Amino acid sequence: MQDVSKSAVKAFLLELQDRICQALEAVDGEAKFEQDEWQREQGGGGRSRVLRHGAVIEQGGVNFSHVFGDQMPASATAHRPELAGRRFEAMGVSLVIHPNNPYVPTSHANVRFFIAEKDGEPPVWWFGGGFDLTPFYPFDDDCLHWHDTAKAICQPFGDEVYAEHKAWCDKYFFLPHRNETRGVGGLFFDDLNQWGFEKSFAYMQAVGNGYLTAYLPIVEKRHPLPFTEREREFQLYRRGRYVEFNLVYDRGTLFGLQSGGRTESILMSMPPLARWEYCYQPAEDSAEARLSQHYLKPRDW
């Protein structure tokens, strides 16, 4: 049995947070991340970093957390009831970037590690994570680059990995009450332990490291594009769907709230501005209509 190194996972996650923040500050060119360190009363804590009012990024958060306790939250044992009552540790980096320009997609990434322990029994651990892209005015080139990057990340770990984790992403980031995906997908995985610790950890690292490769070229290409108030209003309307998913379906949000995490850090994924419009219908054959008709459904890239 391979040794499980919690310290190695934590060291990687802290370094990943640093590197992603530095890269996003560089592409924004104006704003800087502000850091809040916090402690959780039941055990653990984290450091939350938020960038606001930037030249490129309206608001973005890159959070690291490491929490532990004597009882796993209900969201973590809903599909693993045999783990109820075990001590747990959970650590991860989670980020959401909401750009100013409607032609730059919102992006999300998360990599995490859970371990549940009980005296006299072997630990139960797993990795999870992924990244997904939520455009408002999609470009096929951007979607292809995003998914090609995901394929390249997965390939060393098995020919079937991209297809499986891409399909898992499409299924997970789906709003049943709207009958649409949150965006154009990417990768999603959870409960990963069947490869053993070293390979599973290596895959989690590859996904975390691959986020910048996938996202930064899109930001650099699209943020100079001009836009009007019409595109801005549509961006805010579509951000409302992002809020709906995160508050109703997202397991990470539920886990954070149920485990007594820092509310401000958990909800940093919310956009700074969003709007809802009763019975909105885009104009026929418009760019706004094409988003729903051609992109917000599972698709092979």
Side-chain angles (χ1 to χ4, degrees), residues 20 24 33 51 56-62 95-99 104-109 134 136 211 215 219 239 242 268-269:
I20 289 176
L24 291 171
F33 281 93
L51 182 154
V56 175
I57 299 171
E58 186 172 2
Q59 182 168 299
V62 184
L95 67 92
V96 178
I97 305 301
H98 294 289
V104 182
T106 286
S107 70
H108 159 260
T134 306
F136 310 103
Y211 165 75
Y215 190 50
V219 177
R239 281 180 177 177
Y242 209 88
M268 68 86 202
S269 62

Side-chain angles (χ1 to χ4, degrees), residues 25-54:
E25 286 180 349
V27 79
D28 186 87
E30 187 173 294
K32 300 293 183 183
F33 281 93
E34 299 177 2
Q35 177 169 298
D36 291 324
E37 295 194 26
W38 54 273
Q39 298 296 317
R40 175 176 171 270
E41 185 176 339
Q42 300 95 323
R47 59 187 196 188
S48 298
R49 294 179 180 170
V50 176
L51 182 154
R52 295 184 292 173
H53 312 306

